[in-house]
Amino acid sequence: MDLRKLILVLTLIGALVPFANTFYASYTVQRQQLVDTTLDGNYAYANKLAKSTEDFLQSAQLQLAYTAQLLAVKMGDVAQLEDEAARLRMMSKSFNSITIFDASGTVLATSPEALGLQGKVLNSEAVKAALRERRPLISAPYQSATGNFIVFINHPIVSGSGEYLGAVGGAIYLQKENILDRLLGQHFYVDGSYLFVVDRHKRIIYHPDPNRIGDFVQNNAVVDRVAAGESGMGPAVNSRGIKMLAGYASVASTGWGIVAQRPEEATLAPLTQLMRSTLYKALPATLLTLILILWSARLISRPLRLLADGARKMEDPAAAKDIRAVRSWYFESRELKKALLIGVDAIHKSFSKLREDNATDPLTKLGNRRRMDEALANFESQANAFSVITIDIDHFKAVNDTYGHDAGDVALQYLAKCMREACRAYDVPLRVGGEEFVILLPSTTLTAAAQVAERLRVAVEQMVVPKVGRLTVSLGVANCPQSGFEVEAVLKAADEMLYASKRGGRNRVTVDQRESARLR
């Protein structure tokens, strides 16, 4: 990746990541606010309707109670009973039908009369409960004798002496137009919001879709909670798999639960549109910004790219001219240009010196003293830590005197081979004198250098030189900066360690670990 692309990528990341984070955070916060507001609204609405339903049921029971008082003295007059049943149904509008029955459950009067129940004995669970408990009751939904799915509200008829005479009851036909329709059905919205009512058994007793009335609701956490008498709010999934935001409240006297809910998608639709509009409006400015970034990246990277081209051909005699021609219009590129020119000049001078001077020892093919000086100068200019191993062949004069200089030269070559094998790829093995050798180890600790030295000592000890046999070497190890901060001090310390190896019996490695070494 070149600098222009890098600048572009980093700038885009720096701009887009905060924008995306802000956009996402804004969306998340506003989304939660919309959800919470909808849940609160639905809960308040369901709670209000639950109270309204409770008030209606109490009012209906009061109407029945008043009528029961009037009927207590008319139980023997069927005509008056029928008139009172018709009056109650027509005046209150609370019930779809009115039924008056005696203590045996026999129907005395109905309104409307078309029900055809007069004289019949009612055996529904609601009537049986009314006869058994002889108190005001609101039944669970059930299928009546006339085939209607109803809720039956009744009140006992008691004589002045306290004798139980029967009951008067009003029926609400759940699958036909009824008071619940008027109370609940007028509250609807075109965005998919609606409410429904379930009894304590999770059976639907009111729903905008009449076909759903009488169904049992399964696998709905909101319905489970409201059927258990709880009130609150929360997410739900309706029978069509649509995510809803629901508020629910319980009607205490009946155990009914009212659920008001709105599709989550409808709730979030304004926010989605707002976010989309924000993106569209930000698009022109974003495109202009991208164009500006591309132009700026090209302007900034051009001098560096041209300098990089010059750096790749620094050995070319025309490199300096090409680098000088680069327009470096900002500080960093100007400084880099100066450094490159200095580097080109240095390289050309080095090439000249290398052409004039062979830096390799012809006998051992190791670096000579010039190579050592160059390596040390390089270490020093880069402020690199390094270690030095000095090596001397033990009793080498005796080898020359006994076997001749040719045999001695072979021994030197064998030693050089061992040095190359013991060194790592970036170490610098050198021959700096007759039988004096040095290894420079860049970026190497004293401990690691000592390991290299010991490896070399063992290899030489095991080496067999033709005609000469076995040889040993003495080695000294020092480190910069542990042995000193100046090159001369480090070399001197390595020589001192070499002499210490000689004095200690030869064929050994001595490492500069003196306390004074740290103070040089």
Side-chain angles (χ1 to χ4, degrees), residues 228-465:
E230 299 179 20
S231 297
M233 65 190 80
V237 178
N238 70 7
S239 59
R240 297 180 180 179
I242 299 173
K243 293 182 179 180
M244 309 294 287
L245 300 175
Y248 52 93
S250 176
V251 180
S253 62
T254 61
W256 296 354
I258 297 178
V259 181
Q261 57 187 12
R262 184 185 190 195
E264 183 181 276
E265 183 179 357
T267 299
L268 300 179
L271 177 59
T272 302
Q273 182 61 36
L274 175 63
M275 294 293 104
R276 188 179 294 115
S277 176
T278 300
L279 282 177
Y280 289 158
K281 290 181 179 179
L283 189 59
T286 302
L287 291 176
L288 288 176
T289 302
L290 286 175
I291 293 171
L292 180 61
I293 290 172
L294 285 170
W295 179 79
S296 299
R298 183 176 182 278
L299 192 64
I300 292 171
S301 64
R302 178 176 172 78
L304 298 181
R305 181 173 55 80
L306 294 175
L307 291 174
D309 291 341
R312 279 194 290 269
K313 53 181 182 179
M314 291 178 71
E315 72 283 356
D316 191 330
K321 180 182 177 182
D322 293 340
I323 292 173
R324 288 191 185 94
V326 175
R327 290 185 59 200
S328 298
W329 57 274
Y330 54 94
F331 176 77
E332 288 77 9
S333 64
R334 283 198 302 271
E335 294 301 305
L336 182 58
K337 178 179 177 179
K338 292 178 185 177
L340 282 175
L341 289 172
I342 293 172
V344 168
D345 185 59
I347 287 175
H348 290 170
K349 287 181 180 178
S350 297
F351 284 167
S352 298
K353 286 186 178 181
L354 287 174
R355 283 192 293 267
E356 293 171 1
D357 236 275
N358 190 346
T360 303
D361 176 62
L363 176 64
T364 61
K365 306 304 180 186
L366 300 177
N368 58 18
R369 185 171 292 275
R370 183 179 296 277
R371 177 71 183 92
M372 183 178 74
D373 293 340
E374 290 174 355
L376 290 173
N378 185 44
F379 296 163
E380 197 170 33
S381 66
Q382 296 181 3
N384 279 349
F386 64 93
S387 293
V388 177
I389 301 173
T390 54
I391 307 154
D392 189 80
I393 301 176
D394 297 329
H395 306 296
F396 185 70
K397 185 176 183 303
V399 171
N400 281 331
D401 292 343
T402 304
Y403 302 103
H405 289 283
D406 289 341
D409 289 343
V410 173
L412 295 176
Q413 291 172 337
Y414 268 67
L415 173 59
K417 181 174 180 295
C418 283
M419 288 174 63
R420 279 190 289 269
E421 292 173 350
C423 287
R424 299 163 302 182
Y426 47 86
D427 294 336
V428 185
L430 305 159
R431 181 189 180 197
V432 297
E435 67 268 26
E436 297 176 7
F437 294 82
V438 172
I439 300 176
L440 301 178
L441 303 95
S443 302
T444 304
T445 63
L446 195 63
T447 301
Q451 293 172 350
V452 174
E454 179 60 19
R455 188 163 63 245
L456 175 59
R457 184 196 68 76
V458 171
V460 172
E461 187 178 31
Q462 295 173 351
M463 174 183 71
V464 177
V465 181

Side-chain angles (χ1 to χ4, degrees), residues 61-75:
Q61 287 179 320
L62 288 175
Q63 292 173 17
L64 291 173
Y66 176 73
T67 301
Q69 290 179 355
L70 298 178
L71 295 176
V73 297
K74 302 178 181 180
M75 293 296 286

